[in-house]
Amino acid sequence: RRHFDTAVRILPDSLKAWRNRASVDYQLGDMDASLAGYAHVLERAPDDTTTARVMGVIYLGEERYDEAVASFEHVLQYGEHRGALIYLASTQMQWGQNDAATESLQRALALDADCFICHYNLGNLYFTTEAHERALESFRRAVELKADDVDARFNLAITHLALKELDAAQPLLESLSVEVPENGIVWRELGRIYALKAQIPESEAAYERAEALGE
């Protein structure tokens, strides 16, 4: 860091020097110093959307949600940006602004209809508000885009369960029980399906497995 301090003193107008020092401060875990350095850059170069985006990510990690939102919205003043919209939505979700997060993800999908994380997070948002049909559509698309994603397939199965579509949920959970046999939640939900379908021995075995795994 000492070398970058020297660079900033010698070249106070060099934004590259300020960025480098801010990056080193971040790597050293001094978030306040890092943000101060990046803010100095952004004040002098407001169209530096990369710096604004980096600041947003730091604010998000520090759970300073209002400042994170402001940083990502700063980026978006200069045009729609898929990454900034995804980070903005993530911030809004963590901040409890679900309607705003949904809108941000829909804007990101307008830029990239095959955005896996957009469909996945929209599914979570819709499920949270009990819009299960819309959640099903989102999770189904997420699985189409990334068939090996365990979380997307599990959430798709749980959404089928919420809609009482047991025959659709069962094979998804059974395949997951083979792929991630140490996941007690999968076994617990399988036990529930088997019980609802009056497959008592299978249900008891699944629940026993879930209990043994701490679920």
Side-chain angles (χ1 to χ4, degrees):
R1 187 184 190 279
R2 186 169 61 252
H3 297 298
F4 291 111
D5 284 341
T6 302
V8 166
R9 284 197 302 273
I10 295 173
L11 300 168
D13 295 327
S14 170
L15 297 185
K16 181 178 179 180
W18 283 95
R19 288 191 198 93
N20 287 340
R21 192 177 75 167
S23 176
V24 170
D25 285 330
Y26 175 79
Q27 293 172 42
L28 292 173
D30 191 342
M31 300 306 168
D32 288 338
S34 179
L35 286 165
Y38 284 128
H40 177 88
V41 172
L42 198 62
E43 182 180 348
R44 284 154 181 76
D47 60 344
D48 184 350
T49 56
T50 299
T51 291
R53 199 160 66 247
V54 169
M55 290 179 70
V57 172
I58 296 174
Y59 283 132
L60 177 56
E62 294 292 293
E63 299 182 359
R64 295 165 62 173
Y65 300 129
D66 55 340
E67 292 160 300
V69 166
S71 295
F72 296 128
E73 288 181 340
H74 181 101
V75 175
L76 296 168
Q77 291 177 18
Y78 295 88
E80 294 288 83
H81 186 284
R82 175 182 175 275
L85 285 164
I86 291 171
Y87 272 119
L88 176 60
S90 179
T91 305
Q92 291 163 332
M93 288 173 70
Q94 292 187 45
W95 206 11
Q97 298 181 334
N98 290 347
D99 289 344
T102 299
E103 180 184 349
S104 296
L105 289 170
Q106 289 170 340
R107 286 167 65 187
L109 281 173
L111 299 174
D112 178 8
D114 293 334
C115 173
F116 165 80
I117 194 63
C118 298
H119 290 289
Y120 178 80
N121 281 341
L122 272 175
N124 288 329
L125 286 166
Y126 290 139
F127 191 92
T128 298
T129 58
E130 297 187 4
H132 293 135
E133 291 288 355
R134 300 187 76 176
L136 188 71
E137 180 182 349
S138 294
F139 286 133
R140 185 176 286 142
R141 182 66 181 128
V143 170
E144 288 175 357
L145 291 166
K146 199 171 181 181
D148 61 346
D149 191 273
V150 169
D151 292 332
R153 286 158 58 205
F154 178 80
N155 287 0
L156 177 59
I158 295 305
T159 307
H160 278 303
L161 266 177
L163 292 166
K164 297 182 171 52
E165 297 172 352
L166 305 186
D167 289 339
Q170 182 174 336
L172 285 166
L173 290 171
E174 287 177 337
S175 67
L176 287 170
S177 73
V178 174
E179 293 179 38
V180 285
E182 303 307 311
N183 189 322
I185 298 175
V186 169
W187 289 103
R188 184 190 66 199
E189 297 304 321
L190 258 181
R192 180 153 70 105
I193 288 178
Y194 290 142
L196 289 169
K197 298 180 75 172
Q199 297 176 238
I200 304 307
E202 291 87 347
S203 177
E204 291 177 347
Y207 276 128
E208 286 176 5
R209 185 68 180 273
E211 186 175 354
L213 292 168
E215 290 297 335

